[in-house]
Amino acid sequence: MAKKYLKLVVAWIAIVCLLNSTAVYARENVSDSQTKNLEYLEAVMEMILEKYQGEITIQELIDGAIRGMFNTMDPYTIYYSMDEAQDFLGQVNGSYEGIGVTMRRNGKYIEVIRVSESSPAEKAGLYPGDRITAVDGTSVVEATLDEANSLIRGSSGTKVVLEVVRGEDVRKIEVTRGEILYNPVTYRINGDIGYIKLEIFNSNSADEMRKALKEMDKKKIKKIVLDLRDNPGGDVSQAVAIARMFVPAGLITKLDFKSDATPDVEYYSYLKKTKYDLVMLVNEMSASSSEIVAGAVQDTKAGILIGTKTFGKAKVQSIIPLLAPEAYEKYKKQLGVEVVNAYDLIYTYNIIPLEEEIIGYSKITTGMYTTPNGRMIDLVGIEPDIEVEDPELVNGVDVRSIEKLSKTVKYTIGSEGADVYHAENILKALGYNIDDPDSKYDKKTFEAIKEFQKKKGGYSYGIMDFTTQQWLNEELDKLLLEYDKQYAKAIEQLRQAEVLQ
């Protein structure tokens, strides 16, 4: 219990870092009108408990009242129950307890689109393209992602049985849940240009970005495409850490907080000389922390922004754990002040509350940020230096989501693997007769590979050997340049820079 409790406290501190509020409220600060309003809310709850024909507890009413208050503010201010908070904190912390898959709704099905390396899901034999139809016997057909996710996640060491459709087969796969460390960084090297995709700013982002850049340095790569498209943001400290890898010495961003108890913060880069020729890809879903990095790169001319105008969110949220009513009363008697924010106990009184003393978390807008040049981009966004429209699907396939084939296993009819899923996506994008991509090498895939091999002038025998996989990888490069115009423009800009030098 102590170990789990310590982990929870570390999670709190890691997320809010410099974004926490330290105000403590006493009854003397509450006006007569506020007191009357509080008494009125108490009377409403008493009336509900007396009149409502149904099951409801005072705890549920308090939870609903808190949720309602936070819902009246901007769209980014939210109340999370403890279960909801664990999911959110897992996203920002980059770790959670589960099986290690990324899913999407595809029609009425929940489809696996990514399986984390060395995860419980990978060890149990789940692959991209698998359609999950039931979890521990409960159907998830027509379910939302949140509904499916709540059934699949669980404590490390516990087991979950998934009913999975793969091709025409239906099978049950038992997975033992574990601690998942989510790596939001993927990268590849094409010739003398490196490509890095960052999906979210979680606690692993900066470390994983350093690893990717270390590989670039080993290969003497100086030209980088940094893809922040569809990146919704996340931890400000991670955004600053990544900006420091690309932005020259000077201001990165300034955070301006409403509360006098929370000092404004200026973040600086200390990079004496930029190391890379940088092109950053952005779109209308690049938001928040993505815009901190994009704004710093654009204002300091550390790189070129290509794509479409960003989302436009300059609001900064703090994650604040809220004391439950019983804990509130307990510490009111103990300290003589009315404390709701659990951080006040930690930072002001050096008291760490018990886990069961927390009713939930608030994610509340506490400040705004500006770019190095003082631009306020909230509700405005950042205009790219070069505007290029977003790519469209190619025969129903998003070519950006396809991963290169590993060339480690040869595949034939009956074989299964993630490479099969990505190969089928490439073939479908090229116009071959393929069913919905999955990880099973079926007869249609076999025939499509034979046709592909013949077109490439090779031996047409339907086995996806290493030569065939290399051909498919080359075709993927061509698809990206043809259909992802933003990426193609980035490559063009970096090539032009090479000519100019």
Side-chain angles (χ1 to χ4, degrees), residues 3 13 98 106 112 128 134 173 183 191 205 207 267 269 277 314 352 458:
K3 191 173 182 180
I13 296 171
N106 186 0
V112 175
I173 299 177
N183 176 8
S205 296
D207 284 343
Y267 289 107
S269 173
D277 293 329
I352 300 176

Side-chain angles (χ1 to χ4, degrees), residues 137-358:
T138 300
S139 174
V140 291
V141 177
E142 305 283 6
T144 66
L145 276 175
D146 286 342
E147 289 168 342
N149 200 39
S150 66
L151 292 171
I152 293 171
R153 284 194 181 182
S155 302
S156 294
T158 61
K159 298 182 185 298
V160 61
V161 177
L162 307 178
E163 184 179 272
V164 169
V165 176
R166 182 179 299 164
E168 296 180 354
D169 299 336
V170 179
R171 62 189 74 183
K172 291 184 178 180
I173 299 177
E174 183 180 83
V175 188
T176 301
R177 300 179 179 101
E179 184 74 15
I180 309 299
L181 295 177
Y182 181 68
N183 176 8
V185 174
T186 54
Y187 65 91
R188 62 176 182 264
I189 297 173
N190 291 326
D192 63 343
I193 295 178
Y195 169 87
I196 304 174
K197 170 69 175 173
L198 177 62
E199 295 182 359
I200 194 171
F201 290 87
N202 68 23
S203 295
N204 304 322
S205 296
D207 284 343
E208 296 299 334
M209 183 66 69
R210 290 188 190 97
K211 291 177 185 177
L213 291 176
K214 187 176 181 180
E215 287 300 310
M216 302 293 169
D217 293 343
K218 278 184 184 178
K219 303 264 190 333
K220 302 187 184 308
I221 301 297
K222 297 298 181 184
K223 299 175 179 62
I224 301 288
V225 178
L226 177 57
D227 193 347
L228 296 186
R229 291 177 295 183
D230 301 317
N231 184 318
D235 190 338
V236 171
S237 66
Q238 294 290 308
V240 170
I242 289 172
R244 285 172 175 160
M245 301 175 197
F246 299 101
V247 174
L251 183 65
I252 292 173
T253 187
K254 179 179 178 180
L255 274 55
D256 181 11
F257 294 99
K258 178 184 179 181
S259 173
D260 293 336
T262 306
D264 296 342
V265 181
E266 292 182 349
Y267 289 107
Y268 288 86
S269 173
Y270 308 102
L271 189 63
K272 292 182 179 178
K273 185 178 179 181
T274 56
K275 193 173 185 178
Y276 307 101
D277 293 329
L278 178 68
V279 175
M280 182 178 294
L281 301 180
V282 295
N283 64 7
E284 64 276 8
M285 296 308 294
S286 303
S288 193
S289 291
S290 290
E291 293 172 294
I292 287 178
V293 179
V297 166
Q298 189 176 62
D299 281 5
T300 62
K301 302 190 185 307
I304 297 172
L305 267 57
I306 292 178
T308 57
K309 187 170 72 171
T310 62
F311 185 84
K313 178 181 180 287
K315 295 179 175 69
V316 177
Q317 281 78 47
S318 300
I319 311 301
I320 299 175
L322 304 176
L323 291 177
E326 297 82 1
Y328 166 82
E329 289 295 334
K330 169 185 170 181
Y331 293 111
K332 179 182 174 182
K333 292 178 182 178
Q334 182 177 331
L335 302 172
V337 294
E338 298 183 351
V339 181
V340 175
N341 181 350
Y343 284 129
D344 293 338
L345 291 179
I346 298 173
Y347 296 121
T348 306
Y349 298 101
N350 200 29
I351 297 174
I352 300 176
L354 300 173
E355 184 175 345
E356 56 265 27
E357 292 181 321
I358 305 301

